[in-house]
C-alpha cells in the first residue's frame, strides 16, 4: 500500500487548482477578446462602407464635372455623327472595338508575367473599365483604375504600378515604330513629301521626346547605377523641399521597385513581344478609322491615310492637351486639311473620337454598373 505524504499531497492539490484557475483565466481572456473583436467588427465594416461610399460619390462628382467640361465636345461629336454614313459609323465602331480587344490582350499578357490562370476576358473587361475612368476623371484616372483592378486580381499595388508603366512604354514604342513606317510611306509621294518638309521640326521633336522617355525608362530598369543616381537625386530634392518630401520619396521607392521588379518582367521576351504586337495592332486598327471615313473625297489612298494618322499621333504628343482631347484633333486637321478638305477631315476626326472615346466610355460604364449591382446582391445574400 502506497503511503501519501500529507504535505506533498497538499502542495500538488494547490498546484492543480492554480493550473486549473490559470486555464480558466486564459479562456476568459480569449472570450473577452473575441467579444471585443465582434463588437469592433461592425464599426470597422461601417467605416469601410463609408469610405467606399465617399469614393463613389467622388467619382460621380468627377463624372458630372467631366461631362460639363466636355459638353461642347460632346455636342460637336454627336452633330458630326449624324452627318456620317451608317456603314462608316459601324465600320469605325468595329475597328475601335478590335483595338480595345487588343488593349485587353495587352493587360492579360501583363498579368501573366506575375500570375497565371487569368482569363483574357478579364483583361478586356479591365481595358473598357479603364476607359470609363479616363473620361470620368478628365484623363487622370485610367492608370489608377488599372492598378486597382490588377490588385483585385492578386497583384501587389507596387508591382501593378510597374506593370502599367511598362505597358505605357510599349505603347510609346509602338507609336514610334508606326510613326517611322508612316514616314517611309509618306516619303514615296510628292505631295506628302512636301508636307513632311513643312513639319519636319515638329516631327523631330516628337521623335526625340518619345525616344528620351523610352530611353530613360529602360535605363532605370536595366541599370542599377542609373537607378542609384536617380534615387540619390530624388532624396536630395526631398531634403530641399520638405513640404513635398513624402511624394518625392514615394517616387524614389517606385524607382527602386522598377529597377528590381521591372527587369524580371521585361526579361520575359515572349510576352513582351506579344504586348508590343498587341499595341501595334491596336494602333493600326485606330489609324484605320480615318482611312475608312476618307475613302472617298480624299486625294491620297488608304495606306497614305493610315501613315498620316500615325504621324498625327506622333505629333499629338508634342502638343499638350488634357486626356489627348485637342492635341490629336489639331494635328489631324493640320495634316489632313489639304488632302481631304476641312469639313471632311473634321467629320472624320469627330467619328474617330466617338469610336475611341465615347463608345468605350459607355461600355466601361455598363461594366462598372454591373459590377456594383453584383456586389450589392452579394452583400444582401
Amino acid at each position: 500500500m502506497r503511503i501519501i505524504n500529507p504535505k506533498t499531497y497538499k502542495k500538488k492539490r494547490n498546484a492543480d487548482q492554480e493550473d486549473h484557475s490559470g486555464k480558466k483565466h486564459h479562456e476568459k481572456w480569449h472570450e473577452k477578446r473575441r467579444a471585443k473583436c465582434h463588437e469592433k467588427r461592425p464599426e470597422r465594416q461601417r467605416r469601410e462602407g463609408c469610405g467606399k461610399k465617399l469614393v463613389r460619390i467622388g467619382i460621380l462628382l468627377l463624372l458630372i464635372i467631366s461631362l460639363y467640361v466636355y459638353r461642347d465636345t460632346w455636342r460637336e461629336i454627336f452633330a458630326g455623327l449624324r452627318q456620317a454614313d451608317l456603314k462608316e459609323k459601324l465600320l469605325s465602331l468595329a475597328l475601335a472595338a478590335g483595338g480595345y480587344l487588343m488593349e485587353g490582350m495587352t493587360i492579360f499578357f501583363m498579368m501573366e508575367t506575375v500570375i497565371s490562370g487569368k482569363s483574357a476576358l478579364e483583361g478586356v473587361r479591365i481595358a473598357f473599365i479603364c476607359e470609363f475612368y479616363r473620361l470620368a476623371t478628365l484623363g487622370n484616372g485610367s492608370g489608377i483604375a488599372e492598378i486597382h483592378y490588377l490588385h483585385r486580381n492578386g497583384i501587389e499595388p507596387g508591382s501593378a504600378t510597374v506593370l502599367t508603366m511598362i505597358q505605357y512604354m510599349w505603347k510609346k514604342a509602338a507609336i514610334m515604330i508606326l510613326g517611322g513606317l508612316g514616314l517611309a510611306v509618306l516619303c514615296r509621294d510628292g505631295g506628302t513629301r512636301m508636307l513632311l518638309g513643312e513639319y519636319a521640326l515638329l516631327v523631330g521633336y516628337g521623335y526625340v521626346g518619345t525616344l528620351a522617355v523610352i530611353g530613360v525608362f529602360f535605363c532605370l530598369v536595366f541599370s542599377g547605377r542609373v537607378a542609384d543616381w536617380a534615387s540619390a537625386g530624388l532624396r536630395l530634392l526631398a531634403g530641399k523641399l520638405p513640404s513635398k518630401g513624402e511624394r518625392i520619396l514615394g517616387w524614389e521607392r517606385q524607382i527602386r521597385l522598377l529597377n528590381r521588379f521591372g527587369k524580371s518582367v521585361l526579361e520575359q521576351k515572349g510576352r513582351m513581344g506579344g504586348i508590343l504586337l498587341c499595341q501595334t495592332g491596336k494602333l493600326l486598327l485606330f489609324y484605320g478609322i480615318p482611312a475608312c471615313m476618307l475613302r472617298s473625297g480624299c486625294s491620297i489612298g488608304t495606306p497614305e491615310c493610315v501613315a498620316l494618322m500615325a504621324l498625327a499621333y506622333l505629333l499629338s504628343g508634342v502638343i499638350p492637351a488634357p486626356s489627348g482631347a485637342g492635341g490629336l484633333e489639331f494635328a489631324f486637321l493640320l495634316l489632313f486639311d489639304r488632302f481631304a478638305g476641312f469639313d471632311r477631315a473634321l467629320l472624320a476626326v469627330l467619328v474617330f473620337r466617338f469610336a475611341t472615346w465615347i463608345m468605350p466610355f459607355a461600355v466601361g460604364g455598363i461594366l462598372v454598373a454591373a459590377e456594383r449591382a453584383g456586389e450589392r446582391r452579394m452583400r444582401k445574400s
Side-chain angles (χ1 to χ4, degrees), residues 128-129 132 359-373:
F128 278 107
I129 288 175
F132 168 77
M359 183 274 290
F361 166 76
V363 175
I366 292 169
L367 292 173
V368 170
E371 181 183 61
R372 296 289 182 265

Side-chain angles (χ1 to χ4, degrees), residues 153-343:
N153 278 276
I155 301 174
E156 293 181 0
S159 302
T161 304
V162 173
L163 291 180
T164 57
M165 292 170 69
I166 292 172
Q167 180 183 339
Y168 176 75
M169 286 303 108
W170 286 125
K171 177 185 174 182
K172 282 289 186 182
I175 290 173
M176 190 179 66
I177 291 168
L178 290 177
L181 294 174
L183 287 173
V185 171
L186 294 172
C187 284
R188 298 183 307 172
D189 184 79
T192 52
R193 194 185 305 121
M194 189 181 297
L195 179 70
L196 289 178
E198 295 177 11
Y199 298 108
L201 187 62
L202 286 175
V203 172
Y205 283 149
Y207 254 100
V208 169
T210 305
L211 280 171
V213 170
I214 294 173
V216 169
F217 179 80
F218 282 108
C219 284
L220 289 173
V221 171
F222 288 106
S223 174
R225 183 175 295 178
V226 173
D228 289 340
W229 290 343
S231 297
L234 287 173
R235 285 196 298 269
L236 183 64
L237 185 63
K240 292 185 177 181
L241 299 173
S243 60
K244 298 182 179 179
E246 283 297 322
R247 181 182 295 181
I248 295 170
L249 290 176
W251 297 342
E252 190 267 339
R253 288 190 293 270
Q254 197 61 51
I255 286 173
R256 288 293 179 190
L257 182 61
L258 178 64
N259 181 255
R260 187 173 63 255
F261 174 68
K263 192 182 298 183
S264 65
V265 174
L266 289 172
E267 285 174 351
Q268 301 181 39
K269 296 178 182 178
R271 290 194 174 99
M272 293 302 104
I275 289 168
L276 182 59
L277 285 175
C278 284
Q279 286 297 301
T280 306
K282 178 191 79 170
L283 291 172
L284 278 174
L285 288 168
F286 285 175
Y287 296 169
I289 295 173
C292 161
M293 293 294 300
L294 299 173
R295 285 180 299 172
S296 60
C298 188
S299 60
I300 56 176
T302 300
E304 287 77 17
C305 281
V306 173
L308 209 57
M309 187 61 182
L311 190 61
Y313 248 81
L314 189 63
L315 290 176
S316 67
V318 183
I319 306 170
S323 186
L328 181 61
E329 286 84 349
F330 178 73
F332 184 92
L333 294 173
L334 199 67
L335 298 175
F336 279 91
D337 183 18
R338 68 178 63 189
F339 301 110
F342 181 81
D343 292 338

